[in-house]
Amino acid sequence: MMRVAVLGLGEAGFKYSRAFAEAGHEVAGFDPRDLETAAGVVKAASVVEAVSGADLVLGLTTSRPSVSVAAEASASLAGDSVYIDMNAASPHRKREVQNALGADAKFVDGAVIGSVQRFGAQVHVLLSGAHSDEAAEKLKAIGAEAESIRGQVGDASRRKLLRSVFMKGLGALLTEAMRAGEETGEVEWMRTQIAGELVQGGETLDRLLSGTRTHAYRRSVELGDSVDLLSGLEHPWPMTVAARAVHLSLAADTEGPLADQLAAVPTSALGDAGDRLGFLNSSVKPMWKSPPLAGRAFTVQTRPGDNQAIHRALPLTAPGDVLVVAGGGYSERALIGELIAERAHIRGIAGMIIDGAIRDVKEIEEIGFPVWATGVSPAGPYKSGPGRLRETIAVAGAVCRHGDYVVADADGVLVVPAIAAEKILADGLAVVDDERRRQTEMRSEQSLSNN
């Protein structure tokens, strides 16, 4: 009988912990969230408690906290324990996890190849590194299709990222195809056409569509790693980049609360939490004292003084979007006024960030529509174009991708890359807490000195 620790009790962690418990092994699981545990699985109070005395440790926390979790586990990890990091991550991140555990740890790079939802703990897993054979034997105790490819840590994850170029791209393509069917009233016909071309037809289609929507954000992170992997090769990879954009777009449909949480954190703290890049020039200011603003960027690039592209963009936006307009910083001709602002407000657009001028400021304030811009001009815009929509733009000294988060407050405007938004939010909240702590200490010291 083995003692098994499962770190992370989401869908995959739940199924692996249950499989080992049902096979008669002693299983401890840890997750900071209040998640259900399978019968026979002991819920540990900490990472250290979970891994203490374990023969096998499965890291299933997701990629972002994997390094810090490994560092925490290292203090209690037994010398003969096998630690398999099974998170979808880049080879570089896997090596960071290995370093966090220490040189003496039996670390194995694990890459899940296939659907845990469909196959459960018996799903195909690639394993690489010096201890991959031993890891494969331990996983086979629950009937897992564990394949040791030996090699180096990172080799298994590299293969997974290469597979993601196909699988996640296919999921994105099918999602877009079904959306086209929905929007043209041909959804059943489209479904029949796609299912007829797939092995196991409708079942495969449903699985790919459901998985793509359910795990859109996590898969966009994985595809980001795939893009990074491919970027060092000879050719461009437009389909993989586009597939990532589709996943980010789907994630935006279910992540409204994230925008609200970002809006509650000062742009200064979010900037300090990141790399202090991504701020628009200070010339872009709030046009009235509106509340802080955050939302997904709908990007527009237009010729200075011309708003044809803005008119084209409005019917394509979704509620909660923030229109980000690269207008060249030209402040002698307004790109929007009261009428466009009201149309945008009625449509549910959260606000606009404009590297250019606006007019009708008093009326826009009365509407309650948040706008940040470089200035005010009574001169109306041209309407002849050209312009570009939903592309990566340079706006007031910052790079903004369509689908990135934009956060704006009285201090200014910050672009938060969608791929890093959750981490920057968490780190930004930590910055705010630290500043409050230091402020409290400073006031306490001042109070003591006055007494």
Side-chain angles (χ1 to χ4, degrees), residues 187-394:
V187 63
E188 290 304 322
W189 183 85
M190 182 67 85
R191 179 182 176 83
T192 300
Q193 296 305 302
I194 297 171
E197 300 297 329
L198 298 173
V199 176
Q200 297 180 313
E203 179 186 343
T204 300
L205 173 60
D206 289 340
R207 177 169 56 81
L208 287 169
L209 289 173
S210 174
T212 298
R213 289 185 177 277
T214 301
H215 304 295
Y217 180 78
R218 177 173 61 78
R219 292 181 177 184
S220 73
V221 174
E222 185 177 328
L223 278 169
D225 286 337
S226 295
V227 171
D228 289 343
L229 176 69
L230 296 173
S231 64
L233 304 179
E234 180 180 356
H235 299 287
W237 307 94
M239 290 296 291
T240 307
V241 172
R244 176 175 174 268
V246 171
H247 282 79
L248 284 171
S249 176
L250 291 170
D253 294 342
T254 58
E255 289 179 357
L258 184 57
D260 296 338
Q261 293 173 65
L262 286 167
V265 182
T267 54
S268 56
L270 292 172
D272 289 352
D275 51 16
R276 299 188 176 180
L277 299 176
F279 286 103
L280 272 63
N281 295 336
S282 60
S283 57
V284 180
K285 302 179 183 297
M287 292 292 97
W288 59 280
K289 292 183 179 179
S290 62
L293 168 71
R296 292 278 190 165
F298 188 107
T299 57
V300 178
Q301 183 176 7
T302 185
R303 182 166 65 93
D306 191 295
N307 75 353
Q308 183 206 65
I310 297 176
H311 283 281
R312 287 195 288 116
L314 289 179
L316 303 177
T317 57
D321 282 350
V322 175
L323 214 64
V324 180
V325 182
Y330 185 65
S331 297
E332 302 307 318
R333 198 165 290 279
L335 290 177
I336 73 158
E338 176 186 7
L339 293 179
I340 288 182
E342 188 156 9
R343 284 177 57 200
H345 186 59
I346 291 171
R347 187 165 180 83
I349 295 174
M352 290 189 187
I353 310 297
I354 301 176
D355 187 18
I358 71 167
R359 63 183 181 181
D360 304 330
V361 173
K362 181 175 180 296
E363 290 78 6
I364 290 173
E365 180 178 0
E366 290 173 354
I367 293 168
F369 186 67
V371 178
W372 276 250
T374 60
V376 179
S377 171
Y382 299 111
K383 300 180 183 296
S384 55
R388 297 175 180 173
L389 308 180
R390 295 183 287 204
E391 295 189 6
T392 299
I393 59 174

Side-chain angles (χ1 to χ4, degrees), residues 13-239:
F14 179 88
K15 291 186 176 182
Y16 274 101
S17 61
R18 181 178 62 186
F20 276 104
E22 289 177 349
H25 300 284
E26 183 182 346
V27 184
F30 172 75
D31 198 299
R33 299 167 294 177
D34 184 20
L35 298 178
E36 177 188 6
T37 54
V41 177
V42 176
K43 183 74 177 290
S46 66
V47 170
V48 169
E49 181 182 319
V51 304
S52 180
D55 303 297
L56 174 66
V57 180
L58 302 183
L60 288 161
T61 58
T62 74
S63 172
R64 185 168 64 86
S66 59
V67 176
S68 60
V69 167
E72 190 174 349
S74 63
S76 298
L77 197 66
D80 57 350
S81 297
V82 175
Y83 191 113
I84 311 176
D85 187 297
M86 300 176 70
N87 296 299
S90 67
H92 175 70
R93 175 52 63 91
K94 292 299 181 95
R95 289 188 286 270
E96 287 183 328
V97 176
Q98 182 182 32
N99 291 337
L101 284 172
D104 296 332
K106 291 184 176 181
F107 178 76
V108 178
D109 172 16
V112 176
I113 307 296
S115 171
V116 173
Q117 182 181 29
R118 181 181 180 188
F119 298 107
Q122 287 70 50
V123 68
H124 184 193
V125 179
L126 288 180
L127 301 164
S128 69
H131 305 283
S132 59
D133 286 349
E134 185 179 353
E137 289 303 313
K138 290 184 182 298
L139 288 177
K140 287 175 182 177
I142 55 170
E145 186 184 345
E147 179 186 355
S148 170
I149 62 172
R150 300 180 182 177
Q152 304 297 317
V153 167
D155 288 354
S157 290
R158 182 172 64 249
R159 288 190 182 183
K160 179 177 177 65
L161 294 179
L162 290 171
R163 185 176 184 272
S164 294
V165 173
F166 164 64
M167 287 302 297
K168 294 344 182 253
L170 178 60
L173 176 62
L174 291 176
T175 298
E176 193 162 281
M178 289 300 293
R179 179 180 289 170
E182 292 166 3
E183 295 186 5
T184 58
E186 297 285 2
V187 63
E188 290 304 322
W189 183 85
M190 182 67 85
R191 179 182 176 83
T192 300
Q193 296 305 302
I194 297 171
E197 300 297 329
L198 298 173
V199 176
Q200 297 180 313
E203 179 186 343
T204 300
L205 173 60
D206 289 340
R207 177 169 56 81
L208 287 169
L209 289 173
S210 174
T212 298
R213 289 185 177 277
T214 301
H215 304 295
Y217 180 78
R218 177 173 61 78
R219 292 181 177 184
S220 73
V221 174
E222 185 177 328
L223 278 169
D225 286 337
S226 295
V227 171
D228 289 343
L229 176 69
L230 296 173
S231 64
L233 304 179
E234 180 180 356
H235 299 287
W237 307 94
M239 290 296 291

